[in-house]
Amino acid sequence: MRIEAVPAPPLLRLFDATAGLRAKPRLGYGVALAGFLVALALRLAVGGALVGYPYITFFPVVVVTTFLGGVRPGLFAATICGLAAWYWFIPPERSFALLWPSTAIALAFYVLVVGVEIALIHLMELSRARYAAEEARARALLAEQRTLFHELQHRVSNNMAFVAALLTLQRRHVGGDPAALAALDAARARLDVMGRIHRRLYDPDAAQAGMDRLLVDLCDDVVQAVGVKGVGCAVEAERVTIAHHRLLTLALIATEIVTNALKHAYPDGGPGEIRLSLGPDPAGGARLVVADDGSGLPESFAGTSREGLGMRIVAELARQLEATIAWERREPGTAVVVRFPEG
């Protein structure tokens, strides 16, 4: 699994951009005072045109001040704006007389509106802080994941190198038996390819790579390991659902099939092309098709697990994947169809 930071909503990004202003209370109070003077001047300028709307120029001051300066400057702006509106624009004008119930209702309305404004902006500020904390936590987890992965890879590489060294040592003691030498060489090649597959599947930096990239790299690795010249790989991959732990099994099946094709379809080398196709199966589930344009299947081929070690490995891996394997003769070459349930 790869951990990625999710982009913040635009409003939270704006909060981040103005965080420096909220860290300076004096600046917030200055914004409140300047906004108050502008709002008062505008309200006095329009005069009787806004009778019945004593707060209309003051509400924006409270919002902007709270947004830029924080809660305390916002409360300061709300207080001075409310007092100014009460004194100049709520009858009887130019006094703080409290007429019941009209003045009380007007003041209560103002307190309710600015209270909601300040509370909402404060909640957004808290959300921004929580988001920043979660983002920092995600980054820390990502760094830890990468560290653990590199440590795991180091240990896996050491273990595989140790096994490879044992195989090399054993090869020196088998004498001139061609079958034994071939078996040890095949084991080393499988071990090498398995290590590469493991690194690609569990590398956090490559976890989001598409299946087409994985299959191309896998095929190229096998071609290089087998040593067949002039044979290339082509891959088509559609979107299918494969659990991560089952993906390794599918990759190993593909490795064995490609290895078998390289050894038997091109006995004299290329030119040639091995095509891998992964996608939904019309009959349900998903399917992987590995097709070559080589010499084709021999007439004696029965398609059973008794054909050789590679076939037995494929059969066992298919059982783990709950898959079926079918061999098809084509002109030219052969296709192996692996059908398996998604998920």
Side-chain angles (χ1 to χ4, degrees):
M1 178 185 69
R2 185 175 183 174
I3 301 173
E4 293 185 338
V6 178
L11 191 57
L12 292 185
R13 291 201 297 270
L14 185 58
F15 263 111
D16 286 336
T18 57
L21 297 177
R22 287 186 294 278
K24 301 175 181 178
R26 292 183 180 179
L27 184 59
Y29 289 111
V31 170
L33 186 58
F36 162 72
L37 294 175
V38 172
L40 179 60
L42 288 174
R43 186 64 183 81
L44 290 172
V46 297
L50 293 177
V51 173
Y53 301 96
Y55 310 117
I56 193 166
T57 60
F58 296 111
F59 285 141
V61 177
V62 177
V63 172
V64 172
T65 301
T66 307
F67 191 88
L68 296 179
V71 173
R72 291 185 179 181
L75 291 173
F76 172 70
T79 301
I80 59 176
C81 288
L83 291 174
W86 184 5
Y87 182 80
W88 269 290
F89 308 113
I90 296 178
E93 297 177 358
R94 298 184 181 277
S95 75
F96 289 110
L98 183 60
L99 300 181
W100 187 265
S102 59
T103 305
I105 292 175
L107 292 176
F109 171 76
Y110 175 77
V111 171
L112 176 63
V113 172
V114 297
V116 170
E117 289 175 346
I118 293 173
L120 288 177
I121 295 174
H122 181 58
L123 288 175
M124 285 190 286
E125 169 66 13
L126 293 178
S127 297
R128 184 206 66 82
R130 284 195 296 269
Y131 174 83
E134 287 298 323
E135 185 178 32
R137 179 174 174 272
R139 293 184 184 278
L141 287 175
L142 177 58
E144 181 182 4
Q145 182 192 44
R146 285 177 173 165
T147 301
L148 290 175
F149 169 75
H150 290 307
E151 175 64 21
L152 173 64
Q153 285 302 117
H154 179 69
R155 296 190 180 189
V156 170
S157 297
N158 286 344
N159 291 338
M160 288 190 172
F162 178 72
V163 175
L166 289 179
L167 292 175
T168 301
L169 183 63
Q170 187 65 33
R171 194 179 190 279
R172 297 173 182 172
H173 292 81
V174 297
D177 187 344
L181 292 174
L184 290 173
D185 289 340
R188 283 203 60 181
R190 287 189 175 97
L191 186 65
D192 180 61
V193 173
M194 185 181 298
R196 296 184 188 185
I197 294 172
H198 183 274
R199 284 193 294 274
R200 290 195 177 97
L201 288 180
Y202 293 96
D203 186 351
D205 295 326
Q208 301 301 315
M211 280 298 300
D212 52 349
R213 182 71 263 168
L214 173 66
L215 292 175
V216 167
D217 291 341
L218 181 150
C219 188
D220 289 341
D221 287 345
V222 176
V223 171
Q224 181 180 359
V226 175
V228 176
K229 304 296 183 181
V231 178
C233 299
V235 172
E236 294 181 3
E238 299 180 41
R239 185 177 181 84
V240 295
T241 303
I242 309 174
H244 204 269
H245 67 280
R246 302 177 74 230
L247 191 56
L248 178 60
T249 304
L250 181 64
L252 292 174
I253 291 175
T255 297
E256 289 297 329
I257 296 174
V258 172
T259 301
N260 186 74
L262 290 169
K263 289 182 177 180
H264 300 289
Y266 307 99
D268 300 321
E273 182 179 66
I274 295 179
R275 300 177 301 280
L276 293 89
S277 175
L278 177 67
D281 187 358
R287 70 177 181 180
L288 171 69
V289 180
V290 182
D292 63 70
D293 55 0
S295 58
L297 293 171
E299 293 298 329
S300 60
F301 181 79
T304 67
S305 60
R306 295 188 298 272
E307 297 288 340
L309 177 60
M311 295 285 289
R312 291 196 295 272
I313 293 175
V314 169
E316 177 58 27
L317 292 172
R319 185 188 64 79
Q320 297 177 20
L321 196 62
E322 300 178 356
T324 61
I325 311 289
W327 285 262
E328 300 176 357
R329 287 184 170 86
R330 295 187 177 181
E331 292 296 335
T334 304
V336 183
V337 183
V338 183
R339 292 183 171 88
F340 58 94
E342 290 192 80

